[in-house]
Amino acid sequence: MKVLSSNLKKKDSKFKKNFEHMKELVSDLNKKKRLVKIGGSLDARKKHIKRGKLLPRERVKYLLDDKKNIIEIGCLAGLNYKNNDIPSGGMISVIGKVSGRDCMIIANDATVKGGTYYPITVKKHLRSLEIARENNLACIHLVDSGGANLQEQTGIFADKDGFGRIFYEMAKMSSQGIPQISAVLGSCTAGGAYIPAMSDQTIIVKKNGTIFLGGPHLVEAATGEVSSPQELGGAELHTSLSGVADYFAENEYSALDKVKSILEFINYEKPKILVERKPVKPKYDAKDIYGIVPSDLREQYDVREIISRLVDNSEFEEFKKKYGTTLVTGFSHIMGYPVGIIANNGVLFSESSLKGTHFIQLCEQRRVPIVFLQNISGFIIGKSFEEKGIAKDGAKLVNAVSTVTVPKITIIIGGSFGAGNYAMCGRAYSPRFLFSWPNSKISVMGGEIAAKVLASVKDSQINSSGIKWSNEEKNIFMNNIIKKFNEEGSPYFATSRLWDDGVIDPLETRNILGNSLSFCQNLVTNKENFGVFRM
């Protein structure tokens, strides 16, 4: 394979300016992550520890075989939601190995609103289960939750993707042989009681663990019956009388050890789908990425400079290099795994759309996962391009992205605008994983273009009514639109709503891609039969 050359000029003032800009963005990202990883308030954490409980992140850490090769999902979910009172959406979701098996660990954080479920908590839980299903990951539920937050009931209860969908997904996965294991480490109330009740195997901790459909207060109000939490649904009751739980644990460490022990006896061997080779570090320093990516998204650069700092030995077998040059396609390896890479190098034309379509079919035929590096302003527009069929050719690319069955992993490394988001495998196209860099922006279009479009529409409305619109009023209107689009296009606005699986430091990209590719190997899919395909 050909080693990519680099034309980077590190002493250039533009490189230094870009470097400092990205460095500031990453510093801000790390600060946000540090804050949410603290969890709930100091008082809530003190009460939690006083009850003899481990903090949620300590529980997750104790389970993991390897603390480094993990992926956290939705770390910044719920950011700026409800005055920042729901760090990480009140839940921690981490993918890693437990007793040698790739697992999705879903841990309620009882230091955050008692571990109750807000709409964003439900959405994160469902996204975590979706990832587990798509990648055949065993599910470990570390339950410590007051169930549905009653004041948020309209946002979490009755819809298709409401609270109840969690139990539906658990049942479906269990029927497909994907293990569901629960450790009840605290409260487990109302609908939340179905999580351990519907798991394949359940552990409950002495004194702290409780499972009941209706807590003592509700039971007394409804029936007049008076009982303590332990009498109503404690570990002794559920392991000796009801049979709801299978294992009695003296403490949390004992419960977590039992989870590990259970996973040792699930009779599973990870399939080797991809032909791996020994990983080789890129020839170029990954930190150069800071200086490569422009501080202004409108500036163009050669995406091969990014690829050469992500792939093994900086080797890249480029496909159709001279055709449809605004899209770069080719084969490579990342952390030893073979991949097809599709990366934007400008706006999408008919030629680049057809090139991408052809390349996706090749990846499907050869069962090679696809990595999308997304930095796209959209498809080319204009009369001549419409005449040539840009809508038809773009639709072919969107069709290929939709129907391809190999694992897709998307990294938003810059802009993600309009239909370009779809063609480059945005959230709606079900990539197995999707991460964003802190410089990224997601919008229907750029703020300035949107402002011009809406101002033009308003011009027509005003002119037809005979009312005059001053330049000052027009500028205020346009500036408000630009401000709104900039705020709503922020990667933090997106990640707060789980439009991605997390905002990451560009320097983490190679490891995250390697781990994602490894986790994807747990599920074998049937390929589409395209046959010989040339557009």
Side-chain angles (χ1 to χ4, degrees):
M1 295 178 85
K2 183 181 178 182
V3 174
L4 288 168
S5 59
S6 177
N7 299 312
L8 202 59
K9 297 174 182 176
K10 295 186 184 182
K11 294 182 179 179
D12 188 83
S13 60
K14 187 180 286 187
F15 178 90
K16 292 177 181 177
K17 178 187 173 185
N18 292 341
F19 193 97
E20 289 305 314
H21 180 253
M22 182 64 83
K23 189 177 174 182
E24 286 178 18
L25 292 176
V26 171
S27 176
D28 182 50
L29 168 65
N30 291 334
K31 180 181 177 182
K32 284 179 168 62
K33 286 187 175 180
R34 282 196 300 271
L35 287 173
V36 300
K37 285 181 179 181
I38 292 170
S41 67
L42 179 60
D43 284 345
R45 283 180 279 128
K46 282 182 177 179
K47 287 179 183 176
H48 188 88
I49 294 166
K50 194 174 180 179
R51 293 180 179 124
K53 295 180 176 184
L54 295 171
L55 290 170
R57 289 187 180 275
E58 292 174 348
R59 293 166 174 167
V60 173
K61 190 175 180 181
Y62 184 80
L63 279 177
L64 293 165
D65 297 348
D66 179 354
K67 276 65 173 178
K68 292 182 179 179
N69 290 311
I70 63 171
I71 295 178
E72 180 167 357
I73 302 299
C75 180
L76 298 177
L79 187 70
N80 294 326
Y81 179 77
K82 296 284 183 182
N83 298 317
N84 263 351
D85 282 343
I86 316 170
S88 290
M91 174 176 287
I92 298 155
S93 297
V94 170
I95 309 170
K97 285 192 185 300
V98 179
S99 298
R101 171 74 192 258
D102 291 338
C103 296
M104 170 65 79
I105 304 171
I106 302 171
N108 297 118
D109 189 345
T111 72
V112 179
K113 305 293 185 183
T116 57
Y117 279 71
Y118 284 77
I120 193 62
T121 321
V122 173
K123 189 173 183 179
K124 181 171 178 177
H125 200 144
L126 288 174
R127 173 58 185 155
S128 303
L129 293 175
E130 180 182 39
I131 291 172
R133 174 171 45 78
E134 289 178 342
N135 297 286
N136 193 20
L137 306 174
C139 293
I140 300 172
H141 304 268
L142 303 183
V143 188
D144 192 354
S145 167
N149 188 296
L150 297 181
Q151 294 189 52
E152 299 285 335
Q153 63 102 11
T154 56
I156 64 175
F157 176 59
D159 205 353
K160 178 185 175 183
D161 290 325
F163 197 30
R165 187 75 181 190
I166 293 168
F167 321 130
Y168 173 89
E169 292 293 344
M170 288 179 65
K172 293 287 284 185
M173 280 193 278
S174 181
S175 73
Q176 293 162 9
I178 302 174
Q180 304 294 309
I181 301 162
S182 283
V184 181
L185 309 170
S187 178
C188 190
T189 308
Y194 286 110
I195 291 175
M198 295 188 68
S199 292
D200 302 333
Q201 290 168 277
T202 294
I203 308 123
I204 187 168
V205 175
K206 179 182 178 182
K207 292 184 179 179
N208 281 332
T210 56
I211 305 170
F212 32 61
L213 295 180
H217 297 298
L218 177 59
V219 169
E220 185 176 1
T223 69
E225 186 178 56
V226 178
S227 58
S228 71
Q230 287 299 312
E231 289 172 335
L232 190 61
E236 192 68 45
L237 178 139
H238 283 310
T239 54
S240 301
L241 298 175
S242 74
V244 171
D246 308 305
Y247 305 95
F248 181 99
E250 289 287 338
N251 53 49
E252 287 201 14
Y253 287 112
S254 175
L256 297 173
D257 284 337
K258 180 58 70 175
V259 171
K260 295 180 183 182
S261 177
I262 289 169
L263 282 161
E264 289 175 358
F265 291 94
I266 54 175
N267 192 31
Y268 174 82
E269 185 175 6
K270 184 174 179 177
K272 287 287 184 182
I273 303 166
L274 302 176
V275 179
E276 300 173 41
R277 70 179 193 182
K278 187 177 179 181
V280 182
K281 287 183 178 180
K283 288 189 175 293
Y284 309 108
D285 189 353
K287 206 153 191 179
D288 293 344
I289 292 172
Y290 283 18
I292 294 167
V293 177
S295 54
D296 186 344
L297 284 178
R298 292 171 295 188
E299 286 184 33
Q300 191 61 47
Y301 66 96
D302 188 351
V303 76
R304 294 174 187 85
E305 295 284 5
I306 301 293
I307 295 170
S308 67
R309 287 158 177 82
L310 296 178
V311 301
D312 290 6
N313 204 37
S314 301
E315 292 177 337
F316 185 60
E317 186 66 34
E318 191 161 351
F319 175 72
K320 284 184 180 288
K321 183 176 181 179
K322 293 184 178 182
Y323 178 79
T325 55
T326 58
L327 194 69
V328 174
T329 57
F331 295 102
S332 193
H333 286 80
I334 295 177
M335 301 297 284
Y337 297 106
V339 294
I341 294 176
I342 300 178
N344 297 119
N345 222 24
V347 69
L348 286 167
F349 290 85
S350 284
E351 294 82 1
S352 42
S353 301
L354 296 175
K355 170 181 173 177
T357 305
H358 187 171
F359 183 71
I360 287 170
Q361 311 306 337
L362 288 178
C363 292
E364 178 78 352
Q365 291 286 52
R366 297 169 188 179
R367 310 308 297 146
V368 175
I370 305 171
V371 172
F372 292 84
L373 299 179
Q374 191 180 117
N375 178 28
I376 179 67
S377 59
F379 288 91
I380 193 68
I381 57 174
K383 186 173 181 292
S384 64
F385 299 108
E386 297 293 354
E387 287 175 352
K388 287 176 64 178
I390 183 63
K392 171 173 59 70
D393 295 331
K396 290 173 183 175
L397 178 57
V398 171
N399 189 301
V401 172
S402 302
T403 57
V404 68
T405 64
V406 297
K408 301 172 288 190
I409 303 167
T410 301
I411 311 289
I412 302 178
I413 64 173
S416 178
F417 296 106
N421 172 277
Y422 309 152
M424 289 298 293
C425 199
R427 183 59 119 191
Y429 290 79
S430 295
R432 298 280 187 96
F433 298 94
L434 188 156
F435 296 95
S436 303
W437 285 359
N439 61 302
S440 65
K441 286 189 182 296
I442 303 177
S443 288
V444 173
M445 61 183 70
E448 291 182 5
I449 297 295
K452 289 178 181 177
V453 170
L454 292 172
S456 178
V457 172
K458 195 170 179 69
D459 266 335
S460 299
Q461 292 172 343
I462 288 173
N463 290 337
S464 64
S465 65
I467 301 171
K468 288 190 175 181
W469 194 20
S470 71
N471 286 335
E472 185 181 354
E473 288 174 322
K474 186 173 182 177
N475 287 335
I476 290 171
F477 175 83
M478 291 179 68
N479 287 335
N480 286 337
I481 296 297
I482 292 169
K483 182 182 178 183
K484 176 181 171 66
F485 268 66
N486 285 341
E487 288 174 354
E488 295 179 355
S490 158
Y492 298 112
F493 188 92
T495 202
S496 171
R497 289 153 179 78
L498 288 169
W499 295 352
D500 62 23
D501 295 317
V503 181
I504 61 172
D505 181 343
L507 303 186
E508 298 176 304
T509 306
R510 179 172 154 83
N511 280 338
I512 282 178
L513 285 172
N515 285 325
S516 299
L517 290 162
S518 174
F519 297 139
C520 285
Q521 283 203 83
N522 286 283
L523 186 68
V524 182
T525 55
N526 296 318
K527 76 181 183 72
E528 295 282 338
N529 294 312
F530 293 107
V532 176
F533 189 95
R534 293 188 67 85
M535 298 298 286

